Amino acid sequence: MTTTLETWGPVDPLEPALSVRRVLTLERVLAGEPEVVAGAAQLDRPVRWVHVAEAADVGVMLTGGEMVLTTGVLLAGDDNAQAEYIRSLHRAEAAAVVLGLGRAFPTTPDVMRRAAERCGLPMVVLHRPFPFAELTEEVQSRLVRRKFAAVSLSEAVRTALTGLITAGAPLQRLLDEIAHHTGCPVVVTNLAHRVLATAGERSAVDDVLRDWERIARQAGGSEGDGWIRAELGGRGERWGQIMLCGYRGDTAGGKLLADRAAEALVLHRMLGGTAAHSWEEQSAQSLLTDLLSGVVPARQLLPRARAAGLPVNRRTFVPLVVPDGDPAQLERMLRLLGLSGLVAECTHGATAVLLSLARDQDAAVLAAHFAARLRTESGERHTVVAAADPRTAWDDVPAGLREAQHVADAVADSSAALDLPAVVRLKDVHLRGLVRLLRDDPHVQSFAERELDGLLCATAADDLLAVLRTYLATGRNKSRTAQLHHVSRPALYRRLEAIEARLGVDLDDFEQAASVHIALLAHDAQQG
């Protein structure tokens, strides 16, 4: 076998497990001129131990994973014994057999080679003799040091995570630390395999989430290929799992790290590290925040949405925002109504809801039903739900969420909200919605300051602005304005006269009153 010399440095517990292939790259083995004569496809089998044995029945002394070294001195001349020797190693799940050629076998014994090939057992012959004891010492030392390194890393992880928990670090900070130590994506799920949180290199995490449906289906199967799980739970109750995805170290070391991570996450949850939000809410909030911001393209967020349990194939998406909404109440309503969606608190106490409906469901009817149920449960007949038009393309969802947020902003402080329907759309917010949309335009800002300058500089500005706001919002109804401010009509007239004098306008003139009204809406939107 032709191979290159590999120098073994300090033990890294994250490097691949010690395999037959890696043992064959040792300098001492290379000096023996090794040749793989059978089982070449199985050279990546892990080596748990190295065993020197000449006994024909060595298989009964093995427990699996051993690389057996032999000269075959007790097998020479007996074809049946040679074949049975290989079969017994195969039954014992040995990693490989290494035969030193010499007096017993000057060339490769064909019977052993054929038997090993049939069993898929790696068989290596050494064309030059060398002391087996040196190889045994080298590999055993490496295995012991590797195990010690894994335990040391495990304790380092435990210490780091405990320190973060003590400092009150959020869940994401803990997961980032775990991903740093394991060198692979980390995924936390609930019992339904719905992804609650992730950590690790973004591109690697996205690769995992893109294939999450298949991974989730196999989540209850055996571990392998670096997929290592640990259960999350306490007090006799399981509520999730943490998974190391593609861990490149040996399985035993990875399991140790996963267990340490699980211990820390359970402790974090028991100590109330989730604060007012559950991990499910944090997951939804992170996703909806990224969708709203537009910083990450919607297409890149699709795997996260799918892994979070949101149906995304051939669906209609309805973006909603509920001013002063309670995420827990809205989540409960979705379950009661049998609707699929994500719920998360967004800005200024508002809560975003992204409904995912089947294409044959009536989005308008279901949104109206959702809003009506919310009014009934809240006991507030003026509760409104801001809604954007339904989206059938995932790429359009961010714009829909921003539209719903814009509508919610437009009605949040509006006294006209008393007359709004349960579901408010862009067409329902009229001028207020337009002003909200343009509030950051410097021309609009200058217009508002210019129109209201006489009041903004007045010492009694707050009181006069409040009266003006009510007067214009009620359609210049003086009786209603006086009633709402608990003043007599003559007192209201004096205040309106003061306002007109400071602004230099006639509020009985429709155009001038409209100009002041727009300026006031812009001012309130900028202050909002």
Side-chain angles (χ1 to χ4, degrees), residues 2 22 110 144 174 203 218 236 269 275 319 328 337 367 425 486 511:
T2 302
R22 283 181 57 78
D110 198 49
V144 170
L174 267 67
S203 60
Q218 299 176 351
R269 182 154 173 155
L337 298 174
R425 303 186 188 278
H486 307 290
E511 185 174 336

Side-chain angles (χ1 to χ4, degrees), residues 87-169:
R87 288 193 293 268
S88 69
L89 293 181
H90 171 64
R91 289 193 296 271
E93 298 182 348
V97 59
V98 178
L99 175 66
L101 300 181
R103 286 178 298 177
F105 292 103
T107 60
T108 302
D110 198 49
V111 171
M112 293 180 69
R113 182 191 63 76
R114 289 199 307 270
E117 195 64 58
R118 283 194 297 270
C119 293
L121 176 71
M123 179 176 176
V124 181
V125 297
L126 301 173
H127 291 278
R128 294 176 63 87
F130 75 91
F132 283 169
E134 291 184 7
L135 174 59
T136 303
E137 179 183 7
E138 173 78 18
V139 175
Q140 314 300 49
S141 173
R142 185 76 184 181
L143 291 169
V144 170
R145 285 160 49 209
R146 184 184 185 85
K147 187 171 184 178
F148 177 77
V151 172
S152 297
L153 176 59
S154 169
E155 290 306 309
V157 170
R158 171 185 277 169
T159 300
L161 296 179
T162 301
L164 289 173
I165 294 172
T166 303

Side-chain angles (χ1 to χ4, degrees), residues 135-336:
L135 174 59
T136 303
E137 179 183 7
E138 173 78 18
V139 175
Q140 314 300 49
S141 173
R142 185 76 184 181
L143 291 169
V144 170
R145 285 160 49 209
R146 184 184 185 85
K147 187 171 184 178
F148 177 77
V151 172
S152 297
L153 176 59
S154 169
E155 290 306 309
V157 170
R158 171 185 277 169
T159 300
L161 296 179
T162 301
L164 289 173
I165 294 172
T166 303
L171 170 66
Q172 190 60 52
R173 180 68 186 86
L174 267 67
L175 294 179
D176 290 341
E177 187 73 14
I178 295 167
H180 169 71
H181 284 287
T182 59
C184 68
V186 176
V187 176
V188 176
T189 74
N190 61 14
L191 293 180
H193 308 303
R194 179 173 174 176
V195 174
L196 306 180
T198 62
E201 184 182 348
R202 190 70 260 166
S203 60
V205 171
D206 287 344
D207 287 342
V208 170
L209 296 184
R210 261 189 290 273
D211 201 25
W212 187 251
E213 290 184 2
R214 180 188 63 81
I215 294 170
R217 286 196 300 270
Q218 299 176 351
S222 60
E223 294 172 341
D225 298 325
W227 297 85
I228 301 173
R229 296 181 302 278
E231 299 296 333
L232 299 175
R235 299 170 182 168
E237 180 184 6
R238 288 175 54 244
W239 39 264
Q241 68 176 3
I242 181 171
M243 180 180 289
L244 309 185
C245 305
Y247 178 75
R248 58 188 180 87
D250 67 275
T251 300
K255 184 62 178 173
L256 198 58
L257 290 177
D259 288 341
R260 291 291 176 266
E263 291 171 5
L265 296 188
V266 170
L267 179 60
H268 181 269
R269 182 154 173 155
M270 289 176 62
L271 293 179
T274 54
H277 302 283
S278 70
W279 289 0
E280 290 85 354
E281 290 169 346
Q282 290 184 39
S283 173
Q285 183 171 12
S286 173
L287 176 57
L288 289 181
T289 298
D290 286 346
L291 282 168
L292 267 167
S293 69
V295 173
V296 182
R299 182 59 50 183
Q300 293 183 21
L301 297 173
L302 188 57
R304 284 174 57 188
R306 184 182 287 111
L310 184 73
V312 295
N313 295 332
R314 296 186 57 78
R315 305 290 287 187
T316 297
F317 302 101
V318 184
L320 308 173
V321 173
V322 182
D324 300 320
D326 177 14
Q329 179 192 25
L330 297 174
E331 183 76 48
R332 185 175 65 255
M333 280 184 51
L334 288 184
R335 290 195 296 269
L336 289 174

Side-chain angles (χ1 to χ4, degrees), residues 416-439:
L418 303 179
D419 303 320
L420 289 172
V423 178
V424 185
R425 303 186 188 278
L426 199 57
K427 64 181 179 60
D428 299 312
V429 294
H430 306 297
L431 179 61
R432 185 178 297 274
L434 176 63
V435 171
R436 277 275 181 174
L437 195 61
L438 301 175
R439 63 182 173 181

